Amino acid sequence: MAGNDPRAHAPIRPAGVERRRFLRIAGRYGFTTAILAWTGGILWSDDALAQSVADEESKQKAAKFTMIFATEYKIEDVVRYPVMQAAFKANVEAASKGQIYVKLHPAGQLGVGAALAQKIQGGTVQGGAVSLSNFSPFAPSVDLINIPFWCGENQKFANLVTSAAWNGEITPKVMAKGHKPMFYFTVDPRTVSTRKGFKLVRTPADMQGMKMRVPPSQLLQQFYRLAGANPTVVPWGETATAIKQGVADGLDPAVSALATFGFHDILGNVTTVRSVSDAQMFAANAAWYQSLPKDLQVAFDAASDKTYGAAGAALSTSHRCSRCARSRTTRPTARRRAA
């Protein structure tokens, strides 16, 4: 609620001024401190900042374990896309009674897409939020979620990844590849979205010869190839440039993801196909997790469950904040989907 948010009572300053202050604090004290200052409403208080720095240093020194947790999302993106990284930090530190310290690296600081998934697997980053499609090269079994029209709707996806079959068959394979799943979530199904100047996609016939940017999922590549497109794997960090330059004609993230990363300014059309889920996963490095004593594993799992609950509660808010209004959004009829 806004009444409990200290930022609601802070003076209104131009976004550019606040951004420069944030970056100055991050450069001086570190990104985690800057994030806590921003979320806590103390970005402009030198005294409160100094106390926050001292508190963080004290917590890190007292902790028995440190977890570097990275995402490609900014902290404030949680309004539109519920990647609850600040909440996750607070939940883990509280549940572990300060024995685990979480150091946040948001906004792609330590990599995005498949590069971040690889760092989690290798253990240079102990945890993070990654797309399952970007994760699939490292644990191919999760690519099952990209079987077209199988679990594209949110509830069907939730039913799948919380099922005994998934946790009995898929989770052990993911663990064997170096990742400990904390929880899976999705905001919306994937779309077929095209750059300005390219035609609206209503049926597979409209995708003939289309240069479709895809993540490194083998099933997604096959899906778009069967639809007549030419799928090309482009790293997420290079995707906006590829769309602007016409290297790619379209891409497929969910509406909320397109809005979060600013694609609404460069897209002409968004078609909601509901073919597959734009699914995400919070994951830890499996070896790091297994190095925790049993009681801390239990606390870590409880904190993960609490964060998952918070993400679900924030989901309706993220839908209301989509900013793709400038793009033309179309939902094909049942007959066109069948075509």
Side-chain angles (χ1 to χ4, degrees), residues 169-249:
E169 294 292 330
I170 304 302
T171 296
K173 292 181 173 65
V174 174
M175 287 285 288
K177 295 294 185 178
H179 292 80
K180 152 66 179 172
M182 300 181 212
F183 59 86
Y184 305 89
F185 71 99
T186 187
V187 175
D188 285 308
R190 289 185 178 272
T191 64
V192 176
S193 303
T194 56
R195 61 177 172 82
K196 289 182 177 179
F198 197 81
K199 60 190 173 184
L200 171 67
V201 172
R202 293 182 181 273
T203 70
D206 297 321
M207 297 186 71
Q208 298 301 307
M210 176 181 171
K211 294 175 289 186
M212 186 73 175
R213 179 271 168 191
V214 293
S217 157
Q218 292 297 320
L219 276 175
L220 280 180
Q221 292 176 57
Q222 181 66 8
F223 173 41
Y224 293 124
R225 197 173 290 117
L226 289 171
N230 295 323
T232 302
V233 176
V234 178
W236 181 240
E238 301 172 15
T239 299
T241 300
I243 293 292
K244 289 176 184 177
Q245 296 179 349
V247 175
D249 298 318

Side-chain angles (χ1 to χ4, degrees), residues 6-245:
R7 288 171 291 165
H9 307 290
I12 298 174
R13 296 180 172 91
V17 173
E18 187 168 84
R19 188 179 302 112
R20 286 193 293 273
R21 173 70 173 177
F22 180 91
L23 293 174
R24 190 176 301 118
I25 297 303
R28 183 175 180 182
Y29 298 116
F31 218 88
T32 296
T33 298
I35 290 162
L36 294 174
W38 184 81
T39 57
I42 61 171
L43 193 64
W44 294 90
S45 171
D46 290 333
D47 290 342
L49 271 170
Q51 184 60 51
S52 179
V53 170
D55 290 346
E56 284 299 301
E57 289 177 348
S58 176
K59 284 197 299 183
Q60 188 167 11
K61 287 178 182 177
K64 295 180 180 178
F65 299 89
T66 294
M67 179 185 210
I68 296 175
F69 188 86
T71 78
E72 59 196 51
Y73 299 90
K74 294 177 286 187
I75 293 293
E76 61 267 31
D77 287 342
V78 71
V79 175
R80 290 173 293 197
Y81 209 92
V83 178
M84 312 293 289
Q85 45 198 322
F88 173 73
K89 170 182 169 66
N91 292 339
V92 170
E93 292 175 355
S96 68
K97 295 181 171 59
Q99 294 186 73
I100 302 174
Y101 176 78
V102 179
K103 190 174 182 64
L104 297 177
H105 289 269
Q109 280 191 325
L110 299 182
V112 300
L116 177 56
Q118 187 172 30
K119 288 183 178 181
I120 297 171
Q121 183 185 50
T124 55
V125 174
Q126 286 78 50
V130 294
S131 157
L132 285 184
S133 293
N134 283 318
F135 176 66
S136 63
F138 308 100
S141 57
V142 302
D143 213 12
L144 282 171
I145 62 107
N146 288 318
I147 295 175
F149 303 103
W150 184 40
C151 62
E153 296 177 1
N154 290 1
Q155 188 59 57
K156 289 181 179 179
F157 172 80
N159 293 346
L160 174 65
V161 298
T162 57
S163 68
W166 180 276
N167 287 300
E169 294 292 330
I170 304 302
T171 296
K173 292 181 173 65
V174 174
M175 287 285 288
K177 295 294 185 178
H179 292 80
K180 152 66 179 172
M182 300 181 212
F183 59 86
Y184 305 89
F185 71 99
T186 187
V187 175
D188 285 308
R190 289 185 178 272
T191 64
V192 176
S193 303
T194 56
R195 61 177 172 82
K196 289 182 177 179
F198 197 81
K199 60 190 173 184
L200 171 67
V201 172
R202 293 182 181 273
T203 70
D206 297 321
M207 297 186 71
Q208 298 301 307
M210 176 181 171
K211 294 175 289 186
M212 186 73 175
R213 179 271 168 191
V214 293
S217 157
Q218 292 297 320
L219 276 175
L220 280 180
Q221 292 176 57
Q222 181 66 8
F223 173 41
Y224 293 124
R225 197 173 290 117
L226 289 171
N230 295 323
T232 302
V233 176
V234 178
W236 181 240
E238 301 172 15
T239 299
T241 300
I243 293 292
K244 289 176 184 177
Q245 296 179 349

Side-chain angles (χ1 to χ4, degrees), residues 263-292:
F263 281 90
H264 51 281
D265 285 330
I266 61 176
L267 295 178
N269 304 286
V270 176
T271 303
T272 55
V273 185
R274 294 180 295 177
S275 54
V276 299
S277 177
D278 192 355
Q280 307 280 323
M281 175 176 72
F282 266 43
N285 172 267
W288 179 86
Y289 173 82
Q290 290 166 339
S291 74
L292 298 174

